[in-house]
């Protein structure tokens, strides 16, 4: 098999040719075949709505579930689609039942809305929240486990943490953390919003209770793709926010997990079906995986890391931009993050980069410290990073003029 070249990756993106897009971690751009597939399905559903919904959709939905399951290492019977990570985490947080009194454990580097979601869940369940403070550089995994052991207690009921930190791209040792929690009877919910397409995933091997992820970031699937893997719905039954087809008392094994004629299983459909919705984004997931396959998973992983390391070097050479972690010369994947120098307004910088240089970057926060977040995906190039470094130099010179 001849793998496609990186310039082909860039040519296939729907991005305008003159745009430098370094923000796939917020909103991934679409490869043309993925966009066209979603459009084709939408056209089919417009032309023959009933035929599409009743006869095409079930087959396509199961195919998407199988393909995503294979990609992330989860069996399709345990994998439900959702419309976003927020919706999937919300489904767990809003309906799971754990004994009170007790604590929900989070880290201080969770995506802000996810922390809020668990704060609300804690209120509902009569629990309190405990927060593990992570070091700036979380690459010492033994130290992370020690931090976990120091905070956990017989009061800890549930542990929620990010597999890949949104602000910096650092990868946490999900398997070791889940195992440590599991051995203490603690429910684990892993936020893998950034994981699919960022690292090689084997969700079932993590031994977590729940794993959520998104398709619209590194996987380059359309917006509107989230998923929830659940290992233990018997032990931790959930209640859907919306009552629709499939709703009823939680179904029991073995029928609960048998593929049904809707592209689902009774257990999944009960949670997944939210009335009549446009599911074409979900159905285009196989094409997003096909697109990656043209380049090869290992090659993609190495390319993303190499570009991130290149970004760390290029920005460090400017002087004012200090990488977030001392070891970030070897980033875990396609994200590098830099402290925004004092006196620079992050939002104004971001707008200036786009408005003047057609350069899109991300901004994130580590506590109260703003970070410039650069996402280097496999469609990006060294020239993209050079363009960013040049633009930052121009803006810095102007600020001193
Ligand atoms: C770590 C993390 N969790 C959750 C989310 C929320 O994802 P969504 O917007 O798909 O609900 C994000 C979004 O960037 C994220 O980075």
């Amino acid at each position: 098999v001849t793998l496609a070249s990186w310039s082909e990756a860039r040519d296939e993106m729907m991005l305008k040719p003159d745009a430098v897009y370094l923000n796939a971690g917020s909103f991934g751009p679409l490869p043309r075949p993925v966009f066209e597939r979603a459009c084709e399905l939408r056209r089919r559903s417009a032309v023959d709505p009933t035929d599409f919904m009743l006869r095409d959709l079930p087959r396509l939905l199961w195919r998407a579930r199988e393909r995503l399951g294979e990609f992330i290492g989860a069996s399709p019977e345990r994998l439900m689609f959702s419309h976003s990570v927020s919706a999937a985490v919300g489904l767990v947080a809003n309906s799971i039942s754990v004994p009170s009194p007790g604590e929900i454990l989070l880290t201080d580097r969770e995506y802000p809305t996810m922390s809020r979601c668990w704060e609300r869940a804690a209120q509902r369940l009569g629990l309190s929240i405990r927060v593990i403070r992570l070091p700036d550089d979380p690459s010492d995994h033994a130290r992370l486990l020690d931090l976990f052991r120091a905070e956990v207690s017989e009061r800890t009921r549930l542990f929620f943490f990010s597999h890949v930190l949104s602000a910096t791209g650092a990868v946490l040792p999900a398997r070791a953390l889940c195992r440590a929690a599991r051995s203490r009877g603690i429910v684990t919910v892993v936020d893998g919003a950034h994981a699919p397409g960022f690292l090689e995933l084997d969700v079932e091997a993590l031994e977590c209770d729940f794993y959520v992820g998104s398709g619209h970031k590194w996987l380059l699937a359309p917006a509107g793709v989230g998923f929830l893997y659940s290992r233990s719905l018997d032990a931790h039954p959930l209640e859907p926010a919306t009552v629709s087809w499939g709703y009823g008392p939680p179904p029991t094994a073995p029928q609960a997990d048998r593929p049904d004629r809707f592209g689902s299983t009774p257990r999944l459909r009960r949670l997944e079906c939210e009335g009549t919705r446009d599911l074409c984004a979900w159905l285009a997931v196989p094409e997003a995986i096909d697109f990656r396959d043209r380049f090869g998973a290992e090659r993609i992983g190495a390319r993303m890391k190499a570009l991130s390391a290149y970004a760390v070097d290029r920005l460090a050479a400017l002087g004012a931009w200090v990488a977030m972690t001392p070891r970030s010369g070897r980033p875990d994947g396609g994200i590098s993050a830099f402290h925004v120098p004092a006196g620079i307004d992050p939002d104004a910088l971001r707008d200036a980069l786009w408005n003047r240089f057609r350069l899109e970057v991300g901004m994130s926060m580590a506590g109260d410290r703003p970070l410039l977040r650069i996402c280097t995906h496999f469609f990006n190039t060294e020239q993209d990073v050079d363009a960013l470094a040049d633009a930052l130099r121009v803006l810095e010179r102007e600020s001193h003029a």
Side-chain angles (χ1 to χ4, degrees):
V1 187
T2 311
L3 296 170
S5 69
W6 300 126
S7 63
E8 199 175 311
R10 180 61 180 82
D11 290 347
E12 286 275 50
M13 303 308 293
M14 299 286 291
L15 295 167
K16 287 192 182 135
D18 66 339
V20 172
Y21 196 80
L22 296 164
N23 197 27
S26 294
F27 315 108
L30 286 193
R32 203 159 281 110
V34 179
F35 176 76
E36 281 167 4
R37 176 64 172 165
C39 291
E40 176 202 332
L41 292 169
R42 228 160 251 143
R43 192 171 305 114
R44 248 205 262 170
S45 79
V47 172
D48 282 318
T50 303
D51 189 44
F52 181 77
M53 288 291 189
L54 297 189
R55 294 172 206 106
D56 283 352
L57 191 134
R59 179 178 47 82
L60 296 171
L61 182 54
W62 190 257
R63 167 183 176 262
R65 201 186 307 282
E66 277 186 323
R67 199 72 209 285
L68 179 62
E70 194 188 322
F71 181 66
I72 65 166
S75 51
E77 294 83 3
R78 292 174 188 269
L79 185 60
M80 65 164 272
F81 279 104
S82 70
H83 295 282
S84 64
V85 164
S86 307
V89 174
L91 175 63
V92 181
N94 299 337
S95 64
I96 198 166
S97 173
V98 291
S100 146
E103 289 172 349
I104 293 176
L105 191 60
L106 312 174
T107 85
D108 63 344
R109 305 273 281 285
E110 299 314 319
Y111 193 70
T113 55
M114 298 297 94
S115 301
R116 272 179 236 148
C117 176
W118 288 107
E119 281 157 18
R120 191 174 80 159
Q123 271 184 3
R124 173 178 72 80
L125 292 162
L127 303 173
S128 50
I129 297 274
R130 178 179 282 271
V131 177
I132 304 181
R133 249 186 87 95
L134 296 184
D136 271 5
D137 176 4
S139 54
D140 180 345
H141 290 173
R143 185 168 166 218
L144 284 192
L145 280 163
D146 285 344
L147 283 173
F148 170 78
R149 288 190 198 104
E151 296 293 346
V152 82
S153 73
E154 71 288 346
R155 289 175 51 77
T156 314
R157 305 283 176 252
L158 184 144
F159 180 33
F160 174 83
F161 68 95
S162 293
H163 195 175
V164 179
L165 297 184
S166 168
T168 63
V171 175
L172 300 195
R175 185 155 188 256
L177 288 168
C178 288
R179 281 194 153 184
R182 201 174 177 74
S183 68
R184 292 165 171 82
I186 297 166
V187 179
T188 46
V189 185
V190 184
D191 180 348
H194 283 272
F198 187 93
L199 43 79
E200 298 232 7
L201 254 184
D202 189 356
V203 166
E204 283 183 0
L206 299 178
E207 296 180 29
C208 54
D209 291 297
F210 297 99
Y211 192 99
V212 295
S214 61
H216 72 267
K217 296 182 186 291
W218 300 90
L219 185 54
L220 308 178
V225 178
F227 65 81
L228 170 66
Y229 159 84
S230 48
R231 173 194 175 98
S232 36
L233 279 178
D234 280 327
H236 306 291
L238 302 178
E239 280 296 302
T242 305
V243 171
S244 184
W245 294 106
Y247 188 72
T252 48
Q255 292 89 328
D257 297 317
R258 291 214 176 113
D260 60 19
R261 61 196 175 87
F262 307 107
S264 190
T265 68
R267 205 195 299 264
L268 295 175
R269 191 160 188 255
R270 178 175 181 273
L271 298 171
E272 189 178 76
C273 184
E274 294 181 304
T276 308
R277 294 194 63 158
D278 179 350
L279 305 185
C280 293
W282 298 356
L283 307 182
V285 164
E287 280 66 29
I289 298 170
D290 287 346
F291 182 71
R292 292 175 56 83
D293 285 350
R294 282 165 52 182
F295 301 89
E298 264 183 48
R299 255 177 103 222
I300 287 176
R303 173 76 175 154
M304 284 163 54
K305 281 188 201 174
L307 283 173
S308 296
Y310 183 73
V312 170
D313 289 345
R314 280 298 266 123
L315 265 66
L318 294 177
W321 294 89
V322 177
M324 167 76 183
T325 67
R327 289 178 41 144
S328 59
R330 290 186 280 133
D332 286 344
I335 293 181
S336 50
F338 304 83
H339 293 288
V340 176
I344 295 183
D345 174 349
D347 292 333
L349 170 66
R350 182 182 186 159
D351 287 347
L353 287 172
W354 176 247
N355 293 330
R356 290 186 49 193
F357 302 96
R358 282 293 170 254
L359 232 155
E360 202 70 86
V361 295
M363 289 293 170
S364 59
M365 299 291 285
D368 55 1
R369 296 167 296 168
L371 299 174
L372 167 69
R373 189 182 71 173
I374 301 175
C375 295
T376 37
H377 212 331
F378 68 95
F379 61 80
N380 289 117
T381 60
E382 284 81 358
Q383 289 74 31
D384 290 347
V385 176
D386 293 342
L388 172 64
D390 292 345
L392 289 173
R393 186 175 299 123
V394 169
L395 292 173
E396 195 194 336
R397 254 194 239 127
E398 286 177 3
S399 73
H400 295 311

